[in-house]
Amino acid sequence: MKMTGLLSRRSNDLAGVVGTVRQVRAGSPVPRKLGSKDVAVLDLNRTSAATARAVVEADVAAVVHVPRPGEEMLPRAAFRILASSTIPVIEDADLAEVEDGTRVRIDEGVVYSVKTEGQLATGREVGPETLLSEVHAAENGYVESALAHLANATEFLSLEHQLLLDGEGLPGIDVDFTGRHVVVVTGDRASEAQLSDLKPFMKEYRPLVVGVDGGAELLRAARISADVVVATPTGVSDEVLTDGAVLVVPADRDGRAEGLERVTELGVGATTFPAAATARDMALLLAFHGGAEMIVVTGDDRGLENAFGASSAPSSTMVDTAVSSRLVHADACATLYRSRGAGIGLALVVLAALIAVAAVVVARDSAQDLLIWAIDAWNTFALWVQGLVR
């Protein structure tokens, strides 16, 4: 890094870069007042080129890159854009939970609170050459991971194409998915918050609920009854196994299933599902080939950021493709439902206003005039509400 650019940002009183934390969330607009006295905290793996350019144009004091836990660098343009600037970039210093407006001092990768001088996080400062070298390595690693992932996905397709295309080999269970909305809750870290966001949707549509591994525990903690649980018995509690849901136990293609003895000890019934797929994939296939109208799945998004990572099973690439015509991610479902709910709420406000106006008309005009006005107003209102819910 050009030392002149770095030194110009140093405080006369304290060593290092001093600035105010500004959290820049993925997908959110860059704060309008972002400037040279700020430290931009963001996940460069999910930062668009436009956002990176805006951060550089704001000439911030420093950028702190906070990726998701355990995630490798992705070859995003944001890294190259920052490498072409003189802005210090700090990696591995987790400031994700530090509040906006916190004054910090960054010296040799260590982040301190200006107020208390306590250490908030430890990272490392990377210069342009190091940053570009890391991006090149990330490009190679990303492509290699993709090739390996797609090779394994193709192998899965060769083994399970009959299951994917026609549902051959699906176990028979006493649950009718035909024409129903289905919510599949996984044990991924994002599922708990997504499940909370989905509660209004679930309250109105009463979908069938499928708990997958740790997702079954999340449902129980949220006091939501699962209709189906797809899980290895040794990975969930006795309470989940005995709650009354239809239990499906993943098994190898040769029929061997882990933990069946535990099910027997508890005196509950279970159906095995032999396939070279994950429990999540099995749940999606059960709903899809069972005739579900829509399948909402919780968990981490499966965009290109995560598509080829260690947490993404090759089988899921093929299964998601097979069920894509009915698959909706939990975040998208919650967003659409909130938009719809807002429109209905507005409709209720308008209805209340019409009632108030009617009261005034009653006080002033004849009953016949009121009847004519009420019919016209109601027809207009009904047509408007129909437009909201279409």
Side-chain angles (χ1 to χ4, degrees):
M1 177 170 294
K2 295 180 181 178
M3 292 303 295
T4 54
L6 180 57
L7 289 173
S8 66
R9 303 170 193 278
R10 296 193 182 279
S11 166
N12 293 326
D13 302 319
L14 297 169
V17 175
V18 178
T20 302
V21 167
R22 299 299 179 199
Q23 299 282 354
V24 183
R25 309 293 183 186
S28 300
V30 176
R32 291 183 179 180
K33 295 184 179 180
L34 193 68
S36 60
K37 296 182 180 180
D38 295 322
V39 172
V41 179
L42 37 70
D43 179 357
L44 290 173
N45 283 339
R46 284 163 184 79
T47 297
S48 67
T51 297
R53 291 189 188 98
V55 168
V56 170
E57 289 172 4
D59 195 29
V60 295
V63 165
V64 178
H65 166 45
V66 184
R68 294 182 179 181
E71 187 173 64
E72 300 292 332
M73 176 188 279
L74 292 173
R76 297 296 298 259
F79 290 102
R80 295 183 182 278
I81 292 168
L82 284 166
S84 66
S85 75
T86 60
I87 296 174
V89 177
I90 313 300
E91 294 182 344
D92 304 326
D94 190 355
L95 298 183
E97 302 304 320
V98 175
E99 294 184 357
D100 259 18
T102 302
R103 292 276 292 168
V104 297
R105 177 172 62 89
I106 304 174
D107 185 30
E108 296 183 354
V110 182
V111 185
Y112 302 91
S113 166
V114 168
K115 183 177 181 180
T116 66
E117 269 302 304
Q119 183 173 312
L120 298 177
T122 301
R124 61 192 184 94
E125 185 175 326
V126 293
E129 291 184 3
T130 300
L131 201 54
L132 288 174
S133 176
E134 290 178 349
V135 172
H136 290 148
E139 288 174 344
N140 294 332
Y142 186 72
V143 172
E144 289 175 3
S145 295
L147 291 173
H149 180 97
L150 294 173
N152 290 330
T154 302
E155 182 179 358
F156 171 78
L157 179 63
S158 69
L159 291 173
E160 301 288 10
H161 57 275
Q162 292 182 330
L163 172 63
L164 294 174
L165 294 172
D166 300 308
E168 290 293 321
L170 280 174
I173 59 175
D174 191 20
V175 176
D176 187 7
F177 291 99
T178 306
R180 296 291 301 275
H181 290 63
V182 178
V183 174
V184 176
V185 181
T186 70
D188 292 350
R189 62 182 177 180
S191 290
E192 185 174 3
Q194 291 167 348
L195 181 59
S196 178
D197 291 340
L198 284 172
K199 282 185 177 179
F201 164 79
M202 296 172 71
K203 184 177 180 180
E204 179 172 348
Y205 284 94
R206 304 291 181 184
L208 289 172
V209 181
V210 182
V212 177
D213 292 328
E217 301 287 1
L218 292 178
L219 286 168
R220 192 169 190 280
R223 298 183 179 180
I224 298 174
S225 297
D227 298 288
V228 182
V229 169
V230 183
T232 301
T234 55
V236 293
S237 64
D238 291 350
E239 290 77 12
V240 165
L241 297 175
T242 57
D243 264 353
V246 173
L247 180 60
V248 178
V249 178
D252 296 335
R253 296 188 81 240
D254 61 8
R256 288 179 296 181
E258 178 186 344
L260 281 180
E261 62 279 358
R262 186 175 175 207
V263 174
T264 303
E265 291 172 1
L266 291 172
V268 296
T271 301
T272 58
F273 189 161
T278 67
R280 169 194 179 275
D281 299 337
M282 292 176 179
L284 295 182
L285 290 170
L286 283 169
F288 180 78
H289 287 298
E293 182 178 30
M294 183 174 79
I295 307 168
V296 179
V297 63
T298 72
D300 296 333
D301 65 83
R302 289 182 50 79
L304 279 177
E305 292 90 349
N306 303 318
F308 311 123
S311 62
S312 181
S315 63
S316 297
T317 296
M318 292 301 175
V319 170
D320 286 7
T321 302
V323 307
S324 62
S325 61
R326 300 176 213 170
L327 187 63
V328 179
H329 192 269
D331 288 336
C333 180
T335 299
L336 289 171
Y337 188 83
R338 280 195 297 269
S339 299
R340 176 182 177 276
I344 292 176
L346 181 59
L348 293 176
V349 170
V350 173
L351 178 59
L354 289 175
I355 293 173
V357 172
V360 174
V361 174
V362 168
R364 291 174 44 189
D365 300 326
S366 66
Q368 184 176 2
D369 291 338
L370 171 62
L371 181 60
I372 294 172
W373 174 87
I375 292 173
D376 289 341
W378 177 257
N379 288 338
T380 302
F381 173 74
L383 290 172
W384 182 67
V385 172
Q386 288 175 10
L388 283 177
V389 300
R390 278 176 183 171

